[in-house]
Amino acid sequence: MRARTAGIGIAAILSVMTSVASAETLPARKAGLWESKTTSPDGNTTARQCIDEKTDQIAQAAFGGGQNCAKRTIVKTSTGYKGETECKLGLISAAGTTEISGDFNSKIHMEVDTTLTGMPNAKEPVRRQMVIDATYIGPCAAGQSPGDIILPDGKIVKMPQPAAR
């Protein structure tokens, strides 16, 4: 359950950052090791990700490709950014809002509210709310590659690489 929550939190960060392609551009995250603490009714979890400028850009492209989104907007606000998405993922429709603040060099705070319809075995729409606080820890550790996601149990998930052209 915690690994799933971590995956959801990381995917949320990346997919929100992806949604900016047609609107505002979020600042790039500072290269290095970031720790993301995700809090939701499903539980709390912490994961780390080693990033550099290239993997930050790849993350934005990789997690947004393949989504069929009728709406993807992000606007700058007085306190940060606000994003809205409406996407279709197979039989599942997802509509969500995200509020993002922080300096992208030392911290990022996100509040995500998503409603999913068409979920298997769910009679009603499923609402998922989470708060993600990402903090810059420092340089990536020896042996870590940019893009590595370190789950709470120590397992490392390699970020998908773009297809060769």
Side-chain angles (χ1 to χ4, degrees):
M1 178 69 112
R2 288 183 179 256
R4 188 180 79 173
T5 304
I8 291 169
I10 292 167
I13 289 172
L14 297 173
S15 63
V16 167
M17 294 179 79
T18 304
S19 69
V20 301
S22 62
E24 285 285 336
T25 300
L26 291 174
R29 292 178 288 170
K30 181 177 182 175
L33 188 62
W34 283 79
E35 181 174 80
S36 296
K37 296 180 180 182
T38 303
T39 305
S40 77
D42 293 331
N44 305 330
T45 192
T46 301
R48 292 181 173 196
Q49 183 178 23
C50 174
I51 67 147
D52 64 5
E53 182 179 326
K54 185 176 179 180
T55 55
D56 198 36
Q57 291 172 358
I58 292 170
Q60 292 180 35
F63 285 90
Q67 290 183 355
N68 183 12
C69 298
K71 180 177 187 178
R72 283 185 172 179
T73 62
I74 193 156
V75 294
K76 183 143 180 56
T77 67
S78 62
T79 58
Y81 299 86
K82 182 172 182 168
E84 292 185 58
T85 57
E86 292 178 8
C87 301
K88 185 93 170 154
L89 309 165
L91 299 175
I92 301 170
S93 295
T97 60
T98 304
E99 294 196 23
I100 308 166
S101 60
D103 62 13
F104 290 79
N105 283 315
S106 63
K107 64 183 175 185
I108 302 170
H109 175 82
M110 293 178 30
E111 295 181 18
V112 182
D113 189 349
T114 305
T115 300
L116 305 165
T117 55
M119 294 283 289
N121 303 317
K123 293 180 182 176
E124 301 290 328
V126 177
R127 187 173 181 196
R128 298 280 188 230
Q129 294 176 302
M130 66 181 72
V131 174
I132 304 164
D133 285 300
T135 305
Y136 177 77
I137 303 296
C140 296
Q144 290 178 336
S145 299
D148 285 356
I149 298 168
I150 304 97
L151 299 176
D153 62 3
K155 289 183 184 175
I156 296 175
V157 176
K158 298 286 186 183
M159 189 169 70
Q161 297 297 309
R165 293 183 182 196

